Amino acid sequence: LLQNYPNPFNPSTTINYQLAKDGFVSLKVYDIIGREVASLVNREMKAGKHSVEFNASNNFASGTYFYELKAGDYVSIKKLLLMK
C-alpha cells in the first residue's frame, strides 16, 4: 500500500497498491473516530499493480481520514488529509 497522492487533497486523490498474489481485496476509508465512510474495493483481484481514486467532493468534511487495505493476511493503514 502506497501513500495517496496528492496528500493533502481536494476533492480527489489516487491510492496505489500492489498485490503479491491473486485474492480477495478490501480497501476502505475511515474517519478520525474509526467509522467507515467509503468502501473503494471489495472484490477478488489479480496480482499486480492497481490504483483507485477516492473522491471526497460530496458529504466529506475537511480533516484526517485513514485508508486500510486488506489482502489475505496482509493489512496496512495509511493516513490522508482532506483540505476543503
Side-chain angles (χ1 to χ4, degrees):
L1 180 63
L2 302 173
Q3 186 63 50
N4 65 301
Y5 183 81
N7 191 30
F9 71 99
N10 180 22
S12 65
T13 187
T14 300
I15 299 170
N16 294 297
Y17 56 98
Q18 187 168 342
L19 303 175
K21 59 184 179 180
D22 297 357
F24 188 83
V25 177
S26 170
L27 179 59
K28 297 182 179 185
V29 180
Y30 298 90
D31 65 15
I32 194 73
I33 61 172
R35 292 180 297 197
E36 181 183 324
V37 296
S39 179
L40 305 177
V41 178
N42 196 34
R43 61 186 168 93
E44 291 283 331
M45 297 190 76
K46 298 284 186 187
K49 294 181 180 180
H50 301 275
S51 67
V52 64
E53 182 177 321
F54 173 49
N55 189 321
S57 59
N58 295 327
N59 302 323
F60 288 94
S62 293
T64 302
Y65 294 85
F66 298 92
Y67 56 104
E68 175 187 60
L69 177 73
K70 290 182 181 178
D73 293 335
Y74 178 81
V75 178
S76 182
I77 300 171
K78 297 209 179 280
K79 181 168 56 172
L80 51 84
L81 186 61
L82 173 60
M83 302 276 295
K84 286 194 173 185

Coordinates of all heavy atoms in Angstrom, one line a residue:
L1 N 0.9 -1.2 0.0 CA 0.0 0.0 0.0 C 0.9 1.2 0.0 O 1.8 1.4 0.8 CB -0.9 0.0 1.2 CG -1.9 1.2 1.4 CD1 -2.9 1.2 0.2 CD2 -2.6 1.1 2.7
L2 N 0.7 2.1 -1.0 CA 1.5 3.3 -1.1 C 0.7 4.5 -0.5 O -0.5 4.5 -0.4 CB 1.8 3.6 -2.5 CG 2.6 2.4 -3.2 CD1 2.8 2.7 -4.7 CD2 4.0 2.2 -2.5
Q3 N 1.4 5.6 -0.2 CA 0.8 6.8 0.2 C 0.0 7.4 -0.9 O 0.4 7.4 -2.1 CB 1.8 7.8 0.7 CG 1.3 9.1 1.4 CD 0.5 8.8 2.6 OE1 0.9 8.1 3.5 NE2 -0.8 9.3 2.7
N4 N -1.2 7.9 -0.6 CA -2.1 8.5 -1.6 C -1.4 9.8 -2.1 O -0.5 10.4 -1.5 CB -3.4 8.9 -1.0 CG -3.4 9.9 0.1 OD1 -2.7 9.7 1.1 ND2 -4.1 11.0 -0.1
Y5 N -1.8 10.2 -3.4 CA -1.2 11.4 -4.0 C -2.3 12.1 -4.8 O -3.0 11.4 -5.5 CB -0.1 11.0 -4.9 CG 0.5 12.3 -5.5 CD1 1.5 13.0 -4.8 CD2 0.1 12.7 -6.8 CE1 2.0 14.1 -5.4 CE2 0.7 13.8 -7.4 CZ 1.6 14.6 -6.6 OH 2.1 15.7 -7.2
P6 N -2.5 13.4 -4.6 CA -1.8 14.2 -3.7 C -2.3 14.1 -2.3 O -3.4 13.6 -2.1 CB -2.1 15.6 -4.2 CG -3.4 15.5 -4.9 CD -3.5 14.1 -5.5
N7 N -1.5 14.5 -1.3 CA -1.9 14.5 0.1 C -1.3 15.7 0.8 O 0.0 15.7 0.8 CB -1.5 13.2 0.7 CG -2.1 13.0 2.1 OD1 -3.2 13.5 2.4 ND2 -1.4 12.3 3.0
P8 N -2.0 16.7 1.3 CA -3.4 16.8 1.3 C -4.1 16.9 -0.1 O -3.4 17.2 -1.0 CB -3.7 18.1 2.1 CG -2.3 18.7 2.4 CD -1.3 17.8 1.9
F9 N -5.4 16.6 -0.1 CA -6.1 16.6 -1.4 C -7.4 17.4 -1.3 O -7.9 17.6 -0.2 CB -6.3 15.2 -1.9 CG -7.3 14.4 -1.1 CD1 -8.6 14.3 -1.5 CD2 -7.0 13.8 0.1 CE1 -9.6 13.6 -0.8 CE2 -7.9 13.1 0.9 CZ -9.2 13.0 0.4
N10 N -7.9 17.8 -2.5 CA -9.3 18.4 -2.6 C -9.6 18.4 -4.1 O -8.9 19.0 -4.8 CB -9.3 19.8 -2.0 CG -10.7 20.4 -2.1 OD1 -11.7 19.7 -2.3 ND2 -10.7 21.7 -2.1
P11 N -10.7 17.8 -4.5 CA -11.6 16.9 -3.8 C -11.2 15.4 -4.0 O -11.9 14.6 -3.4 CB -12.9 17.2 -4.4 CG -12.6 17.4 -5.9 CD -11.2 18.1 -5.9
S12 N -10.2 15.1 -4.9 CA -10.0 13.6 -5.1 C -8.5 13.3 -5.0 O -7.6 14.2 -5.1 CB -10.5 13.2 -6.4 OG -9.8 13.8 -7.5
T13 N -8.2 12.1 -4.7 CA -6.8 11.6 -4.6 C -6.7 10.2 -5.1 O -7.7 9.5 -5.2 CB -6.3 11.6 -3.1 OG1 -5.0 11.4 -3.0 CG2 -7.1 10.7 -2.2
T14 N -5.5 9.8 -5.5 CA -5.3 8.4 -6.0 C -4.5 7.6 -5.0 O -3.6 8.0 -4.4 CB -4.5 8.5 -7.3 OG1 -5.2 9.3 -8.3 CG2 -4.3 7.1 -7.9
I15 N -5.0 6.4 -4.8 CA -4.4 5.4 -3.9 C -3.9 4.3 -4.8 O -4.6 3.6 -5.5 CB -5.4 4.9 -2.8 CG1 -5.9 6.0 -2.0 CG2 -4.7 3.8 -2.0 CD1 -7.1 5.7 -1.1
N16 N -2.6 4.0 -4.7 CA -1.9 2.9 -5.4 C -1.5 1.8 -4.5 O -1.1 2.0 -3.3 CB -0.6 3.4 -6.1 CG -1.0 4.4 -7.2 OD1 -1.6 4.1 -8.2 ND2 -0.5 5.7 -7.0
Y17 N -1.6 0.6 -5.0 CA -1.2 -0.6 -4.2 C -0.8 -1.7 -5.1 O -1.1 -1.7 -6.3 CB -2.4 -1.0 -3.2 CG -3.7 -1.3 -3.9 CD1 -4.0 -2.7 -4.2 CD2 -4.6 -0.3 -4.2 CE1 -5.2 -3.0 -4.9 CE2 -5.8 -0.6 -4.9 CZ -6.1 -1.9 -5.2 OH -7.3 -2.2 -5.8
Q18 N -0.1 -2.6 -4.6 CA 0.4 -3.8 -5.3 C 0.1 -5.1 -4.6 O 0.3 -5.1 -3.4 CB 1.9 -3.6 -5.5 CG 2.5 -4.7 -6.5 CD 3.9 -4.4 -6.9 OE1 4.4 -3.3 -6.8 NE2 4.6 -5.4 -7.4
L19 N -0.4 -6.0 -5.3 CA -0.8 -7.3 -4.7 C 0.3 -8.4 -5.1 O 0.6 -8.5 -6.3 CB -2.1 -7.7 -5.2 CG -3.3 -6.8 -4.9 CD1 -4.6 -7.2 -5.5 CD2 -3.4 -6.5 -3.4
A20 N 0.7 -9.1 -4.2 CA 1.7 -10.2 -4.4 C 1.1 -11.4 -5.1 O 1.7 -12.1 -5.8 CB 2.4 -10.6 -3.1
K21 N -0.2 -11.6 -4.8 CA -0.9 -12.8 -5.4 C -2.4 -12.5 -5.5 O -2.9 -11.5 -4.9 CB -0.7 -14.0 -4.5 CG -1.2 -13.9 -3.1 CD -0.8 -15.1 -2.2 CE -1.3 -14.9 -0.8 NZ -1.0 -16.1 0.0
D22 N -3.0 -13.3 -6.3 CA -4.5 -13.2 -6.5 C -5.2 -13.4 -5.2 O -4.8 -14.2 -4.4 CB -5.0 -14.2 -7.5 CG -4.4 -14.1 -8.9 OD1 -3.6 -13.1 -9.1 OD2 -4.7 -14.9 -9.8
G23 N -6.3 -12.7 -5.0 CA -7.1 -12.9 -3.8 C -8.1 -11.8 -3.6 O -8.3 -10.9 -4.4
F24 N -8.9 -12.0 -2.5 CA -9.9 -11.0 -2.1 C -9.2 -9.8 -1.5 O -8.4 -9.9 -0.6 CB -10.9 -11.6 -1.1 CG -12.1 -10.7 -0.9 CD1 -13.2 -10.7 -1.8 CD2 -12.1 -9.9 0.2 CE1 -14.2 -9.9 -1.6 CE2 -13.2 -9.0 0.4 CZ -14.3 -9.1 -0.5
V25 N -9.7 -8.6 -2.0 CA -9.1 -7.3 -1.5 C -10.2 -6.4 -1.0 O -11.3 -6.3 -1.6 CB -8.3 -6.6 -2.7 CG1 -7.8 -5.3 -2.3 CG2 -7.2 -7.5 -3.2
S26 N -9.9 -5.8 0.1 CA -10.8 -4.8 0.7 C -10.0 -3.5 0.9 O -8.9 -3.5 1.5 CB -11.3 -5.3 2.0 OG -12.0 -4.3 2.7
L27 N -10.5 -2.4 0.4 CA -9.9 -1.1 0.6 C -10.9 -0.1 1.1 O -11.9 0.2 0.3 CB -9.2 -0.6 -0.7 CG -8.5 0.8 -0.6 CD1 -7.4 0.8 0.5 CD2 -7.9 1.2 -2.0
K28 N -10.8 0.3 2.3 CA -11.9 1.1 2.9 C -11.3 2.4 3.5 O -10.1 2.4 3.9 CB -12.6 0.4 4.0 CG -13.4 -0.9 3.5 CD -14.1 -1.6 4.6 CE -14.9 -2.8 3.9 NZ -15.7 -3.4 4.9
V29 N -12.1 3.4 3.6 CA -11.7 4.7 4.2 C -12.5 4.9 5.5 O -13.7 4.7 5.5 CB -12.0 5.9 3.2 CG1 -11.6 7.2 3.8 CG2 -11.3 5.6 1.9
Y30 N -11.8 5.4 6.5 CA -12.4 5.6 7.8 C -12.2 7.0 8.3 O -11.2 7.6 7.9 CB -11.8 4.7 8.9 CG -12.0 3.2 8.6 CD1 -11.1 2.5 7.8 CD2 -13.1 2.5 9.0 CE1 -11.3 1.2 7.5 CE2 -13.3 1.2 8.8 CZ -12.4 0.5 8.0 OH -12.6 -0.8 7.7
D31 N -13.1 7.6 9.0 CA -12.9 8.9 9.6 C -12.0 8.8 10.8 O -11.6 7.7 11.2 CB -14.2 9.6 9.9 CG -15.1 9.0 10.9 OD1 -14.6 8.1 11.7 OD2 -16.3 9.4 11.0
I32 N -11.8 9.9 11.5 CA -10.8 10.0 12.6 C -11.3 9.2 13.8 O -10.4 8.8 14.6 CB -10.5 11.5 13.0 CG1 -9.3 11.6 13.9 CG2 -11.8 12.1 13.6 CD1 -8.0 11.4 13.2
I33 N -12.6 8.9 13.9 CA -13.0 8.1 15.1 C -13.3 6.7 14.7 O -13.9 5.9 15.5 CB -14.2 8.8 15.8 CG1 -15.4 8.9 14.8 CG2 -13.9 10.1 16.4 CD1 -16.7 9.4 15.5
G34 N -12.9 6.3 13.5 CA -13.0 4.9 13.1 C -14.2 4.4 12.4 O -14.4 3.3 12.2
R35 N -15.1 5.4 12.0 CA -16.3 5.0 11.3 C -16.0 4.8 9.8 O -15.3 5.7 9.2 CB -17.4 6.0 11.4 CG -18.0 6.2 12.8 CD -19.0 7.2 12.8 NE -18.4 8.5 12.5 CZ -18.9 9.7 12.7 NH1 -20.1 9.8 13.2 NH2 -18.3 10.8 12.4
E36 N -16.5 3.7 9.2 CA -16.2 3.5 7.8 C -17.0 4.6 7.0 O -18.2 4.7 7.2 CB -16.7 2.1 7.4 CG -16.5 1.8 5.9 CD -17.0 0.5 5.5 OE1 -16.9 -0.5 6.3 OE2 -17.5 0.4 4.3
V37 N -16.4 5.3 6.1 CA -17.0 6.3 5.3 C -17.1 6.0 3.8 O -17.8 6.6 3.1 CB -16.4 7.7 5.5 CG1 -16.6 8.2 7.0 CG2 -14.9 7.8 5.2
A38 N -16.2 5.1 3.4 CA -16.2 4.7 2.0 C -15.6 3.3 1.8 O -14.6 3.0 2.5 CB -15.4 5.7 1.1
S39 N -16.2 2.5 0.9 CA -15.6 1.2 0.5 C -15.2 1.4 -1.0 O -16.0 1.5 -1.8 CB -16.6 0.1 0.7 OG -16.1 -1.1 0.3
L40 N -13.9 1.4 -1.2 CA -13.4 1.6 -2.6 C -13.2 0.4 -3.4 O -13.3 0.3 -4.6 CB -12.0 2.4 -2.5 CG -12.1 3.7 -1.7 CD1 -10.7 4.4 -1.6 CD2 -13.1 4.7 -2.3
V41 N -12.8 -0.7 -2.7 CA -12.6 -2.0 -3.3 C -13.1 -3.1 -2.4 O -12.8 -3.0 -1.2 CB -11.1 -2.3 -3.6 CG1 -10.9 -3.7 -4.2 CG2 -10.5 -1.2 -4.5
N42 N -13.8 -4.1 -2.9 CA -14.3 -5.2 -2.1 C -14.6 -6.3 -3.0 O -15.8 -6.7 -3.3 CB -15.6 -4.7 -1.4 CG -16.0 -5.6 -0.2 OD1 -15.1 -6.2 0.4 ND2 -17.2 -5.8 0.0
R43 N -13.5 -6.9 -3.6 CA -13.7 -8.0 -4.6 C -12.4 -8.8 -4.8 O -11.3 -8.4 -4.3 CB -14.1 -7.4 -5.9 CG -13.1 -6.4 -6.5 CD -13.7 -5.7 -7.7 NE -12.9 -4.6 -8.2 CZ -11.9 -4.7 -9.1 NH1 -11.6 -5.8 -9.6 NH2 -11.2 -3.6 -9.4
E44 N -12.5 -9.9 -5.5 CA -11.4 -10.7 -5.9 C -10.6 -9.8 -6.9 O -11.1 -9.2 -7.8 CB -11.8 -12.0 -6.6 CG -12.5 -12.9 -5.6 CD -11.5 -13.7 -4.7 OE1 -10.3 -13.9 -5.2 OE2 -11.8 -14.0 -3.6
M45 N -9.2 -9.9 -6.8 CA -8.4 -9.2 -7.7 C -7.2 -10.0 -8.1 O -6.7 -10.9 -7.3 CB -7.9 -7.8 -7.1 CG -9.0 -6.9 -6.8 SD -8.5 -5.2 -6.4 CE -8.0 -4.6 -8.0
K46 N -6.6 -9.7 -9.2 CA -5.4 -10.4 -9.7 C -4.1 -9.7 -9.1 O -4.2 -8.5 -8.7 CB -5.3 -10.3 -11.2 CG -6.4 -11.0 -12.0 CD -6.2 -12.5 -11.9 CE -7.3 -13.2 -12.8 NZ -7.2 -14.6 -12.6
A47 N -3.1 -10.5 -9.0 CA -1.8 -9.9 -8.5 C -1.3 -8.8 -9.5 O -1.7 -8.8 -10.7 CB -0.7 -11.0 -8.5
G48 N -0.5 -7.9 -8.9 CA 0.0 -6.8 -9.8 C -0.3 -5.4 -9.2 O -0.8 -5.3 -8.0
K49 N 0.0 -4.4 -10.0 CA -0.2 -3.0 -9.5 C -1.6 -2.5 -9.8 O -2.1 -2.8 -10.9 CB 0.8 -2.1 -10.2 CG 2.2 -2.4 -9.8 CD 3.2 -1.4 -10.5 CE 4.6 -1.8 -10.1 NZ 5.6 -0.9 -10.8
H50 N -2.2 -1.8 -8.9 CA -3.6 -1.3 -9.0 C -3.6 0.1 -8.5 O -2.8 0.5 -7.6 CB -4.5 -2.2 -8.2 CG -4.5 -3.6 -8.7 ND1 -5.3 -4.1 -9.7 CD2 -3.9 -4.7 -8.2 CE1 -5.1 -5.4 -9.9 NE2 -4.2 -5.8 -9.0
S51 N -4.6 0.9 -8.9 CA -4.9 2.2 -8.3 C -6.4 2.4 -8.3 O -7.1 1.9 -9.1 CB -4.2 3.3 -9.1 OG -4.7 3.4 -10.4
V52 N -6.8 3.3 -7.4 CA -8.2 3.6 -7.2 C -8.3 5.1 -6.8 O -7.4 5.6 -6.1 CB -8.9 2.7 -6.2 CG1 -8.4 2.9 -4.8 CG2 -10.4 2.9 -6.2
E53 N -9.3 5.8 -7.3 CA -9.5 7.2 -7.0 C -10.5 7.3 -5.9 O -11.6 6.6 -5.9 CB -10.0 8.0 -8.2 CG -10.1 9.4 -7.9 CD -10.6 10.2 -9.1 OE1 -10.1 10.0 -10.2 OE2 -11.4 11.1 -9.0
F54 N -10.2 8.1 -4.9 CA -11.1 8.4 -3.8 C -11.6 9.9 -4.0 O -10.8 10.8 -4.0 CB -10.5 8.3 -2.4 CG -11.3 8.7 -1.3 CD1 -12.6 8.3 -1.1 CD2 -10.8 9.6 -0.3 CE1 -13.4 8.8 -0.1 CE2 -11.5 10.0 0.8 CZ -12.8 9.6 0.9
N55 N -12.9 10.0 -4.3 CA -13.5 11.4 -4.5 C -14.3 11.8 -3.3 O -15.3 11.1 -2.9 CB -14.3 11.4 -5.7 CG -14.8 12.8 -6.1 OD1 -15.1 13.6 -5.3 ND2 -14.8 13.0 -7.4
A56 N -13.8 12.8 -2.6 CA -14.5 13.3 -1.4 C -15.3 14.6 -1.6 O -15.4 15.4 -0.7 CB -13.4 13.5 -0.3
S57 N -15.8 14.8 -2.8 CA -16.5 16.0 -3.1 C -17.8 16.1 -2.4 O -18.3 17.2 -2.2 CB -16.6 16.3 -4.6 OG -17.3 15.2 -5.2
N58 N -18.4 15.0 -2.1 CA -19.8 15.0 -1.5 C -19.8 14.5 -0.1 O -19.2 13.4 0.2 CB -20.7 14.1 -2.3 CG -21.0 14.7 -3.7 OD1 -21.0 15.9 -3.9 ND2 -21.1 13.8 -4.7
N59 N -20.3 15.2 0.8 CA -20.6 14.8 2.2 C -19.3 14.5 3.0 O -19.4 13.7 4.0 CB -21.5 13.5 2.2 CG -22.8 13.8 1.5 OD1 -23.4 14.9 1.7 ND2 -23.3 12.8 0.8
F60 N -18.2 15.0 2.7 CA -17.0 14.8 3.5 C -16.5 16.2 4.0 O -16.4 17.1 3.2 CB -15.9 14.1 2.7 CG -16.2 12.7 2.4 CD1 -16.8 12.3 1.2 CD2 -15.8 11.7 3.3 CE1 -17.0 11.0 0.9 CE2 -16.0 10.4 3.0 CZ -16.7 10.0 1.8
A61 N -16.2 16.2 5.3 CA -15.7 17.4 5.9 C -14.1 17.4 5.8 O -13.5 16.3 5.7 CB -16.1 17.5 7.4
S62 N -13.5 18.6 5.9 CA -12.1 18.7 5.9 C -11.6 17.9 7.2 O -12.3 17.9 8.2 CB -11.6 20.1 6.0 OG -11.9 20.8 4.8
G63 N -10.4 17.3 7.1 CA -9.9 16.6 8.2 C -9.1 15.4 7.8 O -8.8 15.2 6.7
T64 N -8.7 14.6 8.9 CA -7.9 13.5 8.7 C -8.7 12.2 8.5 O -9.7 12.0 9.3 CB -7.0 13.3 10.0 OG1 -6.2 14.5 10.1 CG2 -6.1 12.1 9.8
Y65 N -8.4 11.4 7.6 CA -9.0 10.1 7.3 C -7.9 9.0 7.2 O -6.8 9.4 7.1 CB -9.8 10.2 6.0 CG -11.0 11.1 6.1 CD1 -10.8 12.5 5.8 CD2 -12.3 10.7 6.4 CE1 -11.9 13.3 5.9 CE2 -13.3 11.5 6.5 CZ -13.2 12.9 6.2 OH -14.2 13.7 6.3
F66 N -8.3 7.8 7.3 CA -7.4 6.7 7.2 C -7.9 5.7 6.2 O -9.2 5.6 6.0 CB -7.3 5.9 8.6 CG -6.7 6.8 9.7 CD1 -7.6 7.5 10.5 CD2 -5.4 6.9 9.8 CE1 -7.1 8.3 11.5 CE2 -4.8 7.7 10.8 CZ -5.7 8.4 11.7
Y67 N -7.0 5.1 5.4 CA -7.5 4.1 4.5 C -6.7 2.8 4.8 O -5.6 2.8 5.2 CB -7.3 4.5 3.0 CG -5.9 4.9 2.6 CD1 -5.1 4.1 1.8 CD2 -5.4 6.2 2.9 CE1 -3.9 4.5 1.4 CE2 -4.2 6.6 2.4 CZ -3.4 5.7 1.7 OH -2.1 6.1 1.3
E68 N -7.5 1.7 4.7 CA -7.0 0.4 5.1 C -7.1 -0.6 3.9 O -8.2 -0.7 3.4 CB -7.8 -0.1 6.3 CG -7.5 -1.5 6.7 CD -8.4 -2.0 7.8 OE1 -9.6 -2.1 7.5 OE2 -7.9 -2.3 8.9
L69 N -6.0 -1.3 3.7 CA -6.0 -2.3 2.6 C -5.9 -3.7 3.3 O -5.0 -3.9 4.2 CB -4.8 -2.1 1.7 CG -4.7 -3.2 0.6 CD1 -5.8 -3.1 -0.4 CD2 -3.3 -3.1 0.0
K70 N -6.8 -4.6 3.0 CA -6.7 -6.0 3.5 C -6.6 -6.9 2.3 O -7.5 -6.8 1.4 CB -7.9 -6.3 4.3 CG -8.0 -5.6 5.7 CD -9.2 -6.1 6.5 CE -9.3 -5.4 7.8 NZ -10.5 -5.9 8.5
A71 N -5.6 -7.7 2.2 CA -5.5 -8.7 1.2 C -4.9 -9.9 1.7 O -3.7 -10.0 2.1 CB -4.6 -8.1 0.0
G72 N -5.7 -11.0 1.9 CA -5.2 -12.2 2.6 C -4.8 -11.9 4.0 O -5.6 -11.3 4.8
D73 N -3.6 -12.2 4.4 CA -3.1 -11.9 5.8 C -2.5 -10.6 5.9 O -2.1 -10.1 7.0 CB -2.0 -13.0 6.1 CG -2.6 -14.4 6.3 OD1 -3.8 -14.5 6.6 OD2 -1.8 -15.3 6.1
Y74 N -2.4 -9.8 4.8 CA -1.7 -8.5 4.7 C -2.8 -7.4 5.1 O -3.9 -7.4 4.6 CB -1.2 -8.2 3.4 CG -0.6 -6.8 3.2 CD1 0.7 -6.6 3.6 CD2 -1.3 -5.8 2.6 CE1 1.3 -5.3 3.5 CE2 -0.7 -4.5 2.5 CZ 0.6 -4.3 2.9 OH 1.1 -3.1 2.8
V75 N -2.4 -6.6 6.1 CA -3.2 -5.4 6.4 C -2.3 -4.2 6.6 O -1.2 -4.3 7.2 CB -3.9 -5.6 7.8 CG1 -4.8 -4.4 8.1 CG2 -4.9 -6.8 7.7
S76 N -2.7 -3.1 5.9 CA -1.9 -1.9 6.0 C -2.8 -0.7 6.1 O -3.9 -0.7 5.4 CB -1.0 -1.7 4.8 OG -0.2 -0.5 4.9
I77 N -2.5 0.3 6.9 CA -3.3 1.5 7.1 C -2.4 2.7 6.9 O -1.3 2.8 7.4 CB -3.9 1.5 8.5 CG1 -4.8 0.3 8.8 CG2 -4.7 2.8 8.7 CD1 -5.3 0.2 10.2
K78 N -2.9 3.7 6.2 CA -2.2 5.0 6.0 C -3.2 6.1 6.2 O -4.4 5.9 6.1 CB -1.6 5.0 4.6 CG -0.6 4.0 4.3 CD 0.5 4.4 3.4 CE 1.5 3.4 3.1 NZ 2.5 3.3 4.2
K79 N -2.6 7.3 6.4 CA -3.4 8.5 6.7 C -3.5 9.4 5.5 O -2.5 9.5 4.7 CB -2.7 9.2 7.9 CG -3.4 10.5 8.3 CD -2.9 11.0 9.6 CE -1.4 11.3 9.6 NZ -1.0 11.9 10.8
L80 N -4.7 10.0 5.3 CA -4.8 11.0 4.3 C -5.5 12.3 4.8 O -6.2 12.2 5.9 CB -5.5 10.5 3.0 CG -6.9 9.8 3.2 CD1 -8.0 10.7 3.3 CD2 -7.0 8.8 2.0
L81 N -5.3 13.4 4.2 CA -5.8 14.7 4.7 C -6.6 15.4 3.7 O -6.0 15.7 2.6 CB -4.6 15.5 5.2 CG -4.9 16.8 5.9 CD1 -5.7 16.6 7.2 CD2 -3.6 17.6 6.2
L82 N -7.9 15.7 4.0 CA -8.8 16.4 3.1 C -8.8 17.8 3.5 O -9.1 18.2 4.6 CB -10.2 15.8 3.1 CG -11.3 16.5 2.4 CD1 -10.9 16.6 0.9 CD2 -12.6 15.8 2.6
M83 N -8.4 18.7 2.6 CA -8.4 20.2 2.8 C -9.4 20.8 1.9 O -9.2 20.9 0.7 CB -7.0 20.8 2.6 CG -6.0 20.2 3.4 SD -5.8 20.8 5.1 CE -5.3 22.5 4.8
K84 N -10.6 21.3 2.4 CA -11.5 22.0 1.5 C -11.4 23.5 1.6 O -10.9 24.0 2.5 CB -12.9 21.5 1.9 CG -13.2 20.1 1.4 CD -14.7 19.8 1.5 CE -15.0 18.5 0.9 NZ -16.4 18.2 0.9

